[in-house]
Amino acid sequence: MEILARWRESGRWWEQEMEEEWVRFLDKNGILREKHFPCDLGNPSELPQKQARQQEIAHTIDYDVARLEARGALRDVSHIAEKRVRALPVSALHCLSALSYGRSTMMPEHLAAYAKLRGYSAAAITDRFSLTGVVDFCGTAAKMGVKPIVGATLEIAGGGEIVVISKSKQGYAALSRLITHCHLTQPRQFPLFDIDAFDGSTEDLVCLTGGYSGPVDRALIKKADPTHELQRLMRVFPEVYIELEYSAAPWSLSLDRALRHLAQECGLPVVAAGPVTHATRKDFPAQDALVCAETLCTVEEIVGRKETTDSTPIRWINSERYFRSAKAMYAHFGHEAVANSWTLANQCTENPLPEQPLFPSFDDNPESTLREIVIREAQKKYKEINAEHKYRISGELDRICRLGFASHFLAIWEACDWARSEGILFSARGSAVDSAISYCLGLSRIDAIEHNLHFDRFLPADGSKKPDI
């Protein structure tokens, strides 16, 4: 028989329905048929009988590896997976964290930990229009021995999402400017990347076509010519990779073939990716519920009531966008796509984050300026400056200047002084009130000396914590 389509549907998970697998095929007489069956394999002892029943519909090594792995039974077919696995490392290039609000259940540091647990050598964080989670992600990934890659998901004007990955510190700077450009040139909360009007730098940036949500895949799904969408991306980005996603949709088989054929025609590499939004299959209901909450959508609906720039549903039809194991990636996508994804990951720098910038100097001698202003303002705050005042203020000044935060205090003092002159209310919060200097400079209304507040909580002597004002 000839399989035309194969997909999964999650069912009404809020009513404890099981996921079902659907197969559309031509039988030996050329008659179009469609069958479906529950995906839950249940008791491991029943595995051989259920496998035999499922073989009547369509049996492929790739899909059975993915199915058994989801049930924790990959060891039963390890000999199948091992035939497809090479010694080449595996990378995950399209991972969303919980900071892509309403899209993922994994915090950035958890994303890095799951990549290690699943056997990946490299992983990329690609949140929507944001680099918010990259510091936590990169720090955890480095500790875990996973190569961190920084990227972002951008929704382009006209519809569709692409993934942009930075290969170096220069690429990180270009990506940061690109994200800022999208936010500043579009209405608040509705950033878009106007790819046709963009003329900024894309140095050391790589574009992935975005999977099913990308403009190229969308064109193919609609039976349209994807060449125009591909040319738009190639005009802006020096490197473009065709991203393969295999998330068990009705169009997965035909689209995968079409994308591979398009890649050959255009001379572009294919990479194994697809969005990763939750750690395991069982986390799908939580991820789906987050999407519903973010889009103001009830679980019975497909599209929510929240205003968006794209009417395409964000909810996915099954649990396939989970963090599958590195071994299963070979069986799922094939060696070429997985090898290309590692080739791309290998081109990225080991430390993608820029060096920590120094705070701008307030003037030629900020330490002297700070001491002069504090002494002047302290005389205004206190009717009589006693030994306790002198000891506390002198000690704080010594520590602030020794740790190099004089310009920091002066900059905030200048901002607050301007706000006061404009009649704008402001107030220090948290540990900033523990500083007598903050009180003298007018940053805080709380006298730390009078209330016996501890400066160490605000600014430790070892400089392990920066002044949070």
Side-chain angles (χ1 to χ4, degrees):
M1 60 186 173
E2 180 185 354
I3 299 176
L4 302 179
R6 187 171 197 161
W7 72 95
R8 287 188 171 195
E9 295 181 9
S10 64
R12 301 168 68 89
W13 52 260
W14 54 95
E15 294 182 1
Q16 310 302 315
E17 287 185 2
M18 289 193 303
E19 218 169 59
E20 290 190 326
E21 185 172 320
W22 295 73
V23 179
R24 186 177 297 143
F25 60 96
L26 295 176
D27 66 12
K28 60 183 179 181
N29 297 317
I31 300 174
L32 180 65
R33 298 187 181 277
E34 191 171 278
K35 293 186 179 182
H36 67 97
F37 50 86
C39 296
D40 192 348
L41 298 178
N43 191 328
S45 64
E46 300 174 2
L47 187 59
Q49 293 87 344
K50 291 191 176 184
Q51 279 184 305
R53 177 168 60 84
Q54 290 164 1
Q55 284 174 358
E56 296 177 4
I57 298 176
H59 178 81
T60 64
I61 290 177
D62 289 12
Y63 214 79
D64 278 342
V65 168
R67 180 188 297 134
L68 291 171
E69 183 239 3
R71 297 291 302 171
L74 186 58
R75 60 184 181 276
D76 298 328
V77 289
S78 58
H79 62 286
I80 298 176
E82 287 171 0
K83 290 180 181 178
R84 306 291 299 275
V85 175
R86 309 292 190 269
L88 197 68
V90 182
S91 57
L93 297 178
H94 189 172
C95 303
L96 299 171
S97 84
L99 299 182
S100 288
Y101 298 110
R103 297 295 184 97
S104 171
T105 61
M106 300 177 291
M107 292 300 291
E109 57 271 28
H110 298 158
L111 196 159
Y114 281 122
K116 177 66 175 179
L117 290 173
R118 298 292 188 267
Y120 289 82
S121 298
I125 182 171
T126 57
D127 284 327
R128 283 175 48 82
F129 291 103
S130 175
L131 298 174
T132 308
V134 299
V135 173
D136 289 337
F137 169 76
C138 291
T140 304
K143 293 177 182 177
M144 293 285 180
V146 175
K147 184 176 185 177
I149 300 172
V150 171
T153 299
L154 307 179
E155 183 180 344
I156 64 176
E161 294 181 344
I162 59 173
V163 175
V164 181
I165 289 176
S166 65
K167 297 171 63 176
S168 65
K169 296 183 187 297
Q170 291 75 21
Y172 182 95
L175 179 59
S176 181
R177 288 192 294 268
L178 175 56
I179 293 173
T180 302
H181 168 82
C182 294
H183 282 284
L184 291 180
T185 58
Q186 299 293 328
R188 185 173 181 271
Q189 297 184 344
F190 295 97
L192 283 176
F193 177 31
D194 191 346
I195 193 169
D196 296 316
F198 182 72
D199 59 357
S201 171
T202 55
E203 179 186 5
D204 280 357
L205 293 182
V206 176
C207 175
L208 309 186
T209 54
Y212 295 161
S213 298
V216 174
D217 288 42
R218 284 186 173 193
L220 286 170
I221 292 171
K222 295 175 181 177
K223 307 299 182 183
D225 184 4
T227 307
H228 171 67
E229 299 295 345
L230 201 54
Q231 288 175 343
R232 292 173 71 199
L233 301 178
M234 294 171 68
R235 182 188 67 81
V236 174
F237 295 98
E239 293 183 69
V240 176
Y241 286 71
I242 291 183
E243 177 180 344
L244 300 181
E245 179 181 352
Y246 203 83
S247 298
W251 53 81
S252 290
L253 290 175
S254 59
L255 185 59
D256 186 75
R257 289 192 291 265
L259 286 171
R260 292 176 189 269
H261 178 69
L262 178 65
Q264 286 184 339
E265 280 190 338
C266 299
L268 298 176
V270 295
V271 290
V276 176
T277 59
H278 47 287
T280 64
R281 289 185 188 276
K282 66 181 178 62
D283 295 321
F284 172 69
Q287 188 272 338
D288 197 29
L290 284 176
V291 177
C292 290
E294 172 65 16
T295 58
L296 302 180
C297 180
T298 67
V299 290
E300 291 86 3
E301 297 173 329
I302 297 175
V303 179
R305 289 171 295 283
K306 187 174 182 179
E307 184 181 356
T308 62
T309 55
D310 193 341
S311 60
T312 304
I314 299 175
R315 297 183 71 184
W316 189 236
I317 61 174
N318 56 46
S319 61
E320 286 292 310
R321 288 173 170 173
Y322 72 104
F323 224 137
R324 65 185 75 251
S325 74
K327 278 189 176 182
M329 289 289 284
Y330 282 95
H332 208 63
F333 290 101
H335 180 265
E336 179 191 6
V338 175
N340 287 342
S341 68
W342 173 247
T343 299
L344 172 55
N346 200 37
Q347 294 173 4
C348 298
T349 182
E350 294 288 341
N351 181 15
L353 299 182
E355 300 302 324
Q356 184 176 344
L358 297 176
F359 197 90
S361 182
F362 188 82
D363 58 20
D364 293 337
N365 194 341
E367 290 78 14
S368 177
T369 303
L370 179 63
R371 290 180 184 275
E372 179 182 335
I373 294 174
V374 168
I375 293 172
R376 183 188 69 209
E377 296 300 321
Q379 291 172 345
K380 297 178 182 179
K381 291 286 186 181
Y382 301 107
K383 294 180 180 179
E384 181 180 348
I385 299 180
N386 56 35
E388 182 183 6
H389 293 134
K390 292 180 180 179
Y391 177 79
R392 176 66 181 262
I393 293 173
S394 176
E396 288 193 16
L397 280 172
D398 288 344
R399 184 178 300 179
I400 290 169
C401 293
R402 175 174 60 82
L403 295 176
F405 292 124
S407 289
H408 185 86
F409 276 81
L410 288 169
I412 296 173
W413 165 76
E414 187 178 55
C416 291
D417 194 49
W418 175 85
R420 188 180 297 108
S421 69
E422 295 291 321
I424 299 172
L425 294 177
F426 61 89
S427 177
R429 65 163 184 84
S431 61
V433 302
D434 295 333
S435 169
I437 301 299
S438 294
Y439 177 66
C440 292
L441 292 177
L443 315 182
S444 166
R445 295 191 296 269
I446 306 299
D447 186 351
I449 299 175
E450 178 184 350
H451 293 87
N452 195 29
L453 302 178
H454 297 285
F455 184 62
D456 285 343
R457 191 171 81 94
F458 171 64
L459 186 60
D462 61 0
S464 57
K465 178 186 174 185
K466 296 181 180 178
D468 178 20
I469 306 176

